C-alpha cells in the first residue's frame, strides 16, 4: 500500500539566511520508533542566501551527499580541496572518523539537499568524492550506490540514490532493487504515483510492493532512494546517528 509523507510532518531547525526544512524519512512509516528509513537518516532541504558562510565544522560517521538543485555553493575541506558544487556537480563526503568542511554562497541563492546516511560501521577512513552528471536528465540517473556497485559515487551502506527531471506529462517506470525499499522525494514540482498526488517536499513509499509508474503533473525534480531496511548501521554519526530531534 502506498504511504505518503506530507509537508506537515517536517520541521525547520534553522530559519533565516540558512533555512533548513528537515525531512525525517522514517516518519512515512506507521509506528516507526526511529525517524530514519533504514540507514537513510535525514534529508535536509536547504535554502542558503547570497553571502552566507557556514564556517569550518566537523562531521564524524556521517555519509553525506550534497545535491545542489539551483545556484553554486563553494566547498572547502580538511583534505585541502576546494570546489564549486552546482547542479550536475555532486559531492559525497564519507566522513568516517573525522572530516571538516566549510561552505560559502558568493553569488545567487542556493537550493539544495544534504542527504545523511548511516554507514555500516564506525570510524571508517574519511574520504570525499565528486561526480559530474547530466543536468535535468528526464530519465533516471544512478548517482550513488554501495561499494562494489556500478554507481559513480559510493556510500558505505546498502543504499542507492537516483534522480530524474521529467517534463510535464512524462511518465516514468520506477526501477526495482531486489530486497531494498523505495523512498521517492519530490524536490520541486508535482507528480502522481498511482492515485496519490505528491507535491514539493513530499514523499511516497510502498514497503510491500514496487512503486507504480510516476506521471509528472508539472516539470518536476524527483530524488529516488532504495534502502535495506535491515542493514547494520553505526549510530555514532554527528547528524545521522541522532535518535530524536
Amino acid at each position: 500500500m502506498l504511504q505518503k509523507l506530507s509537508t506537515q510532518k517536517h520541521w525547520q531547525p534553522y530559519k533565516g539566511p540558512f533555512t533548513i526544512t528537515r525531512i525525517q524519512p522514517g516518519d512515512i512509516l506507521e509506528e516507526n520508533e526511529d525517524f530514519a528509513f533504514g540507514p537513510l537518516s535525514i534529508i535536509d532541504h536547504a535554502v542558503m542566501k547570497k553571502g552566507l558562510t557556514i564556517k569550518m565544522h566537523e562531521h564524524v560517521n556521517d555519509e553525506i551527499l550534497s545535491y545542489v538543485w539551483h545556484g553554486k555553493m563553494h566547498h572547502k575541506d580538511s583534505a585541502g580541496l576546494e570546489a564549486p558544487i552546482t547542479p550536475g556537480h555532486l559531492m559525497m563526503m564519507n566522513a568516517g572518523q573525522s572530516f571538516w568542511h566549510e561552505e560559502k554562497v558568493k553569488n545567487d541563492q542556493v537550493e539544495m539537499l544534504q542527504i545523511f546516511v548511516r554507514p555500516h560501521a564506525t570510524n571508517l577512513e574519511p574520504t570525499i568524492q565528486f561526480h559530474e552528471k547530466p543536468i535535468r536528465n528526464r530519465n533516471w540517473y544512478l548517482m550513488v550506490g554501495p561499494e562494489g556497485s556500478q554507481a559513480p559515487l559510493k556510500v558505505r551502506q546498502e543504499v542507492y540514490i537516483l534522480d530524474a527531471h521529467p517534463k510535464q506529462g512524462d511518465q516514468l517506470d520506477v526501477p526495482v532493487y531486489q530486497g531494498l525499499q523505495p523512498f521517492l522525494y519530490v524536490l520541486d514540482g508535482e507528480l502522481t504515483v498511482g492515485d496519490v498526488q505528491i507535491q514539493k517536499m513530499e514523499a511516497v513509499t510502498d514497503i510491500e510492493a514496487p512503486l507504480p509508474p510516476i506521471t509528472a503533473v508539472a516539470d518536476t525534480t524527483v530524488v529516488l532512494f532504495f534502502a535495506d531496511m535491515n542493514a547494520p548501521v553505526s549510530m555514532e554519526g554527528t547528524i545521522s546517528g541522532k535518535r530524536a530531534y
Side-chain angles (χ1 to χ4, degrees):
M1 181 179 70
L2 291 175
Q3 299 180 68
K4 177 178 174 178
L5 179 60
S6 64
T7 57
Q8 284 80 9
K9 291 199 172 183
H10 308 333
W11 65 292
Q12 292 185 325
Y14 302 99
K15 297 180 182 180
F18 182 36
T19 296
I20 287 178
T21 301
R22 178 152 288 173
I23 292 86
Q24 300 180 168
D27 287 346
I28 203 169
L29 303 174
E30 296 181 3
E31 300 179 358
N32 189 19
E33 296 180 357
D34 192 358
F35 60 76
F37 187 85
L40 176 61
S41 178
I42 288 293
I43 302 170
D44 278 345
H45 193 137
V47 175
M48 304 159 69
K49 301 294 187 181
K50 179 181 177 179
L52 176 71
T53 296
I54 302 172
K55 295 182 180 179
M56 190 73 71
H57 61 283
E58 184 183 28
H59 282 276
V60 176
N61 297 314
D62 287 326
E63 305 275 293
I64 311 168
L65 175 67
S66 293
Y67 179 102
V68 171
W69 180 69
H70 174 80
K72 180 187 290 188
M73 180 178 75
H74 294 266
H75 166 84
K76 182 178 180 180
D77 61 44
S78 53
L81 296 172
E82 296 188 36
I85 311 303
T86 60
H89 189 63
L90 304 170
M91 178 175 67
M92 170 65 76
M93 287 188 291
N94 311 93
Q97 60 188 0
S98 177
F99 200 89
W100 292 74
H101 72 117
E102 176 181 281
E103 313 298 342
K104 291 184 178 182
V105 179
K106 299 179 181 179
N107 300 309
D108 293 339
Q109 172 176 295
V110 168
E111 184 173 358
M112 66 174 295
L113 302 180
Q114 272 204 317
I115 298 160
F116 293 86
V117 174
R118 295 169 177 167
H120 61 70
T122 300
N123 293 337
L124 298 169
E125 188 71 21
T127 187
I128 189 165
Q129 308 167 65
F130 298 92
H131 175 66
E132 292 281 351
K133 68 174 291 293
I135 299 174
R136 304 295 185 253
N137 45 288
R138 290 173 72 171
N139 291 310
W140 298 112
Y141 184 90
L142 176 60
M143 302 182 291
V144 175
E147 294 172 304
S149 73
Q150 297 301 309
L153 295 174
K154 302 300 190 291
V155 62
R156 294 175 296 198
Q157 188 49 270
E158 290 301 310
V159 169
Y160 290 86
I161 309 176
L162 305 85
D163 78 339
H165 306 265
K167 298 290 187 181
Q168 183 178 8
D170 285 355
Q171 185 176 87
L172 294 179
D173 290 331
V174 178
V176 173
Y177 284 78
Q178 195 65 35
L180 306 184
Q181 306 303 322
F183 182 90
L184 186 149
Y185 178 75
V186 173
L187 192 160
D188 191 73
E190 183 178 350
L191 51 78
T192 58
V193 184
D195 58 357
V196 177
Q197 191 171 35
I198 308 295
Q199 298 180 332
K200 181 170 181 171
M201 294 190 182
E202 294 187 325
V204 67
T205 189
D206 190 329
I207 60 171
E208 298 175 350
L211 289 177
I214 66 173
T215 301
V217 177
D219 292 357
T220 299
T221 294
V222 58
V223 182
L224 176 61
F225 303 85
F226 290 91
D228 179 350
M229 303 298 283
N230 299 310
V233 298
S234 168
M235 296 298 295
E236 300 300 320
T238 304
I239 300 295
S240 66
K242 294 183 183 296
R243 294 181 183 273
Y245 285 95

